[in-house]
């Protein structure tokens, strides 16, 4: 692993949009591509932070180094993270094989901070074996994590009354591993059965819907080469079920290696990273090319109902000479 202080400094430069950031990322890019990135998402209150903490400890016990990115809700006043790594994962902070970074989402709707892709890259270049990325927990809009991670763990907890609503948001489709945390609750089996019922409607299990439960293939790699996400019950606060989760994460990594899945994921991550950078840079570039006062006049015309928003955008693109 690289120098921890240098890594922290590089992350700060990238996260704060300092001019040195892009050059650092470019210089280090050739040294990336070694870490296995694991995303952890799901409902608020399901115990994602506790699960990440326990999973990091499990990986350390196995002799692997771990980088942790904990994306927190942003403070409406400062824009900073409301929760700090020393509060969330204080028992890991003294471990030289663990590096934890809390990042503010700053209004991002995808459950990730704007610079998450870049920080993953920096931790990868620093030599961490596994990188755990925990999302905000916004519930409805967290499918973005699948673009940043090789393996996506979706966490649910029994008794929250939102199983169906949560998975309507698309979380079931992105899950590589389903975790039912807080499994010491009495209604855990009902949650597991609900997930199994919903899973049976998915494409991975559709071909087996006519079979009995005992006849259906187990989770993981299927005979047709697809992947059926396992459902794992955990009590993360007590460490129960964590070794099973880690085992499935490693099994999914093997599955990706043996089925060219890594190449597919890397293509998705590269496309998503390029899109994020484009979305950041293009608006500023467009506005810089507009005639002086044009933006203010266009806003006024839209407010006065003289121009519709879609027509305003078309006019802005023409004024910036982007449409030719």
């Amino acid at each position: 692993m690289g120098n921890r202080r240098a890594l922290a400094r590089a992350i700060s430069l990238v996260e704060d949009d300092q001019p040195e950031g892009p050059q650092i990322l470019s210089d280090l890019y050739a040294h990336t591509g070694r870490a296995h990135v694991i995303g952890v998402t799901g409902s608020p209150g399901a115990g994602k932070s506790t699960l990440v903490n326990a999973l990091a400890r499990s990986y350390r016990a196995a002799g692997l180094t771990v980088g942790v990115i904990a994306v927190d809700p942003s403070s409406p006043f400062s824009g900073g993270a409301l929760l700090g790594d020393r509060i969330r994962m204080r028992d890991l902070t003294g471990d030289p094989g663990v590096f934890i970074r809390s990042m503010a989402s700053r209004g991002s709707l995808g459950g990730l901070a704007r610079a998450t892709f870049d920080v993953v890259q920096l931790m990868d270049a620093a030599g961490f074996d596994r990188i755990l990325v925990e999302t905000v927990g916004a519930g409805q809009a967290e499918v973005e994590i699948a673009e940043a991670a090789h393996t996506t763990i979706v966490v649910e907890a029994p008794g929250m009354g939102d199983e169906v609503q949560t998975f309507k948001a698309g979380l079931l489709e992105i899950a590589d591993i389903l975790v039912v945390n807080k499994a010491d609750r009495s209604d855990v089996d009902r949650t597991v059965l609900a997930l199994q019922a919903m899973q049976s409607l998915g494409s991975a299990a559709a071909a087996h819907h006519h079979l009995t439960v005992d006849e259906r293939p187990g989770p993981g790699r299927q005979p047709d080469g697809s992947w059926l996400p396992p459902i794992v019950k955990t009590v993360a606060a007590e460490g129960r079920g964590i070794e099973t989760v880690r085992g499935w994460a490693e099994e999914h990594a093997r599955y990706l290696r043996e089925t060219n899945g890594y190449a597919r994921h890397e293509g998705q991550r590269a496309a998503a990273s390029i899109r994020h950078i484009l979305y950041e840079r293009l608006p500023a570039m467009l506005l810089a090319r507009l005639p002086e006062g044009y933006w203010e006049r266009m806003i006024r015309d839209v407010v006065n109902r003289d121009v519709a928003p879609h027509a305003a955008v078309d006019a802005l693109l023409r004024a910036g000479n982007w449409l030719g």
Side-chain angles (χ1 to χ4, degrees):
M1 291 180 297
N3 182 280
R4 294 171 66 89
R5 183 173 296 179
L7 174 58
R9 175 63 176 161
I11 291 175
S12 294
L13 290 171
V14 167
E15 193 175 11
D16 295 339
D17 283 326
Q18 296 301 309
E20 304 95 325
Q23 187 60 54
I24 291 172
L25 291 166
S26 295
D27 292 343
L28 293 176
Y29 191 71
H31 303 284
T32 64
R34 299 179 179 89
H36 184 73
V37 184
I38 301 170
V40 180
T41 188
S43 303
K48 295 187 297 297
S49 294
T50 307
L51 182 76
V52 168
N53 190 18
L55 193 56
R57 281 191 272 114
S58 177
Y59 272 119
R60 289 297 294 133
L64 297 175
T65 56
V66 184
V68 179
I69 302 172
V71 183
D72 290 320
S74 299
S75 164
F77 304 105
S78 66
L82 290 176
L83 302 176
D85 50 46
R86 283 175 294 183
I87 297 174
R88 305 169 66 151
M89 301 172 183
R90 65 183 65 183
D91 58 327
L92 292 175
T93 55
D95 187 335
V98 178
F99 187 94
I100 303 171
R101 183 71 173 210
S102 290
M103 300 177 64
S105 64
R106 300 184 182 180
S108 171
L109 295 179
L112 298 180
R114 176 193 48 76
T116 301
F117 286 87
D118 293 338
V119 176
V120 166
Q121 181 180 321
L122 290 172
M123 288 189 176
D124 189 355
F128 289 96
D129 300 311
R130 301 292 182 270
I131 300 174
L132 305 178
V133 183
E134 180 199 344
T135 71
V136 170
Q140 286 285 333
E142 300 206 47
V143 295
E144 193 178 86
I145 185 61
E147 295 180 333
H150 298 111
T151 299
T152 301
I153 300 175
V154 175
V155 186
E156 182 58 84
M160 299 181 69
D162 62 352
E163 290 95 341
V164 174
Q165 187 64 32
T166 296
F167 290 105
K168 278 183 180 178
L171 293 182
L172 185 65
E173 287 77 8
I174 68 167
D176 298 306
I177 303 170
L178 289 162
V179 170
V180 181
N181 193 32
K182 305 181 181 180
D184 49 349
R185 294 183 177 178
S186 60
D187 48 355
V188 60
D189 290 335
R190 185 174 65 183
T191 301
V192 171
L193 287 172
L195 293 179
Q196 289 174 336
M198 296 180 72
Q199 196 177 58
S200 68
L201 300 176
S203 59
H208 313 294
H209 71 279
H210 60 286
L211 303 177
T212 68
V213 172
D214 291 335
E215 293 172 327
R216 291 177 186 173
R221 189 184 312 208
Q222 300 299 292
D224 63 359
S226 62
W227 176 267
L228 183 63
I231 301 173
V232 182
K233 293 189 288 187
T234 66
V235 184
E238 301 175 4
R240 289 159 50 187
I242 299 302
E243 295 301 308
T244 303
V245 175
R246 179 168 66 86
W248 277 116
E250 295 305 295
E251 178 62 27
H252 187 251
R254 284 190 289 272
Y255 165 77
L256 292 177
R257 286 194 296 270
E258 295 169 4
T259 61
N260 202 36
Y262 264 114
R264 185 173 62 254
H265 270 269
E266 285 301 303
Q268 294 172 348
R269 290 175 66 198
S273 182
I274 292 170
R275 282 199 307 271
H276 277 263
I277 296 169
L278 280 173
Y279 293 162
E280 283 183 28
R281 294 188 180 181
L282 288 178
M285 292 173 64
L286 171 60
L287 293 176
R289 297 177 64 169
L290 294 175
E292 185 176 355
Y294 189 96
W295 173 258
E296 290 75 13
R297 290 195 300 273
M298 185 59 68
I299 295 296
R300 184 173 62 251
D301 289 343
V302 171
V303 170
N304 293 335
R305 300 302 192 272
D306 294 329
V307 179
H310 282 279
V313 171
D314 290 340
L316 285 169
L317 292 173
R318 286 193 296 271
N321 295 318
W322 283 46
L323 292 181

